Amino acid sequence: MRRIFLSLFFFCLLIVSGSAKTVVTGRVTGVDSKPMIMANVVLRQPFDTTKVEVVKADRDGRFRLTIPSNGVWMLVFKGVHHADHIVALYVSKPLPIEVNVKLTSYTYLNDFNGIKAIGTFNNWYFITGVPLHKQSDGTYTAEIRTKEPYIAYRLMGVREGGNIEGTQSAKYSYNRNLGYESTIGAMNGIARIVFDPKKLVRSDDPAKVEFVRGGDLVMRFNEIYTERLDIENAFRAAFRANMRSRGRNPSDIKFDFSKATSAIQKQLESEKDPILRSELYMNYLSIYVMGQRIDPPFYTSVLKDIPPTSMVWSLDPNSIFFTLNHSNLSDEQKDDYVRRVVAENPIRRVKSALLFDEFLASKSMEDKAKAAHYYDLLVEKFGDTPEAKLVSKTYTRPRTLADRESVPAFSVVSLDNSARLITDKSMRGKYGLIVFWAAEDPGSVEQVSYLQKAFAKYKNRKFEILTLSVDSAYTDVVKFREKKFKMPWLNGYLGRNRDDKVVKAFGAYQIPNAYLVNPNGIIVARGKELLGSELEKTLKKYLGD
């Protein structure tokens, strides 16, 4: 009996542990360390403003919420008459987290002469905001005509970077999209809004975060994220000041990032934890993006320190594409990094964001094969994500040679006989291997050695090879054939021109690239299955041993 009881106990324990999730509790207060009129805590992901959960703090400011899965999560703490504060949480396993947050006040403008009200009376439309006029007692007022017994409103032109709830209100309510709304009653069809600057909550103290439970990693991760926000907020403030004083020319902005970069460098020298190192590199990366710095070795070091599997990429998934394309990694290394992110990163939105960026880039480069590949991955495997929905709604799947089946029409002059034209039709009746290459490309040179073996084996079996050079200079091909490989098959020269008709028809923007066409002009194989050691296997499939 005891043995049965113990078995049931451990079975129940397994069920509980398997379904355990991270629970976050704590308390949120105002600048005076007391509960506010109303406070809320919003749970969302860092790259998505969609609210996963919104909880209302109780009368003492206490809250409780559950994080549904591992990942990087944002807690946005909100309170009436206070500025929002974000706490970043790194969650890699279920654990209890307790965090107390003391909010700070908004940063207000120096004068309120441009103050306006928006609300239910104008559908919250900022362009038709109603001006408030200054009164002799220092207040600002506006009279709103309405048929409703109450109106809800917010005020523009009071603080930096947004609007706020009013100082006068019969009650406050929380709107998921707008923030806190002030509600006042109407008398005889008129609601009178009164804004009193003396009633604004003001404080020079910054917001304060205290982790009671959660561990050093959770606490330190948030500290590093806060440092990033401080840098970005300072940059935005400088940007706004520049726009006001320099004729709205963003290129005129001058901002000194040296203090921030020095601080990050110092932290990287001592930090050993790989997660925190990755986050520090993300902070560094955000500075490079804001400062528009191009430094390929730096971006390469970021990719070496932040693995494709890192959840830290979810702080800014679009930065993966940016970093890859500013690094000095080879195209093959970049493609491998993308492949590993899609296959191994645990965060779906990180994968879909990268695939979305790769799709748009491939489409703009007219690489139809790649664009179709990324389109299919997005729509078929990540169809529930916003990126996949946008792609499927906005774009049609790119048509590729595989879809079209027939080899595109082409015509090139033979390198060995200027009077001879090699066309898609002239190659009919044989299996034709069409290869785009360049003598100045090491990968292409290696591929030619495989072509030599294939040609020697199959040249008498209704098989032909056509190599199309995209070298910068015609003489490079000539010298290559004279000194390295004779290449005793059909040869043509296209030059390094992405707009060449043949290159565009095949979508051959990467080299080496190859297409196998059957005697009827139908493409039966392409790409990797015709490169390197795979070439012999593929030819054996169609031409025999």
Side-chain angles (χ1 to χ4, degrees), residues 427-438:
M427 293 186 69
R428 293 284 176 92
K430 294 182 179 182
Y431 273 93
L433 179 63
I434 302 172
V435 181
F436 291 81
W437 77 295

Side-chain angles (χ1 to χ4, degrees), residues 264-279:
I264 295 174
Q265 287 172 347
K266 188 175 181 180
Q267 291 178 79
L268 282 169
E269 289 172 1
S270 59
E271 185 57 66
K272 302 300 181 184
D273 187 280
I275 296 167
L276 299 180
R277 284 186 62 83
S278 294
E279 188 184 17

Side-chain angles (χ1 to χ4, degrees), residues 57 86 98 106 160 185 200 204 224 294 330 394 429 461 534:
I86 300 175
E98 184 177 355
Y106 294 118
E160 289 277 9
L200 291 175
D204 294 327
I224 294 174
I294 305 301
S330 67
T394 310
R461 300 193 193 181
E534 294 299 312

Side-chain angles (χ1 to χ4, degrees), residues 81-93:
H81 300 318
H82 288 74
D84 295 352
H85 187 77
I86 300 175
V87 170
L89 299 179
Y90 185 89
V91 179
S92 58
K93 60 182 179 181

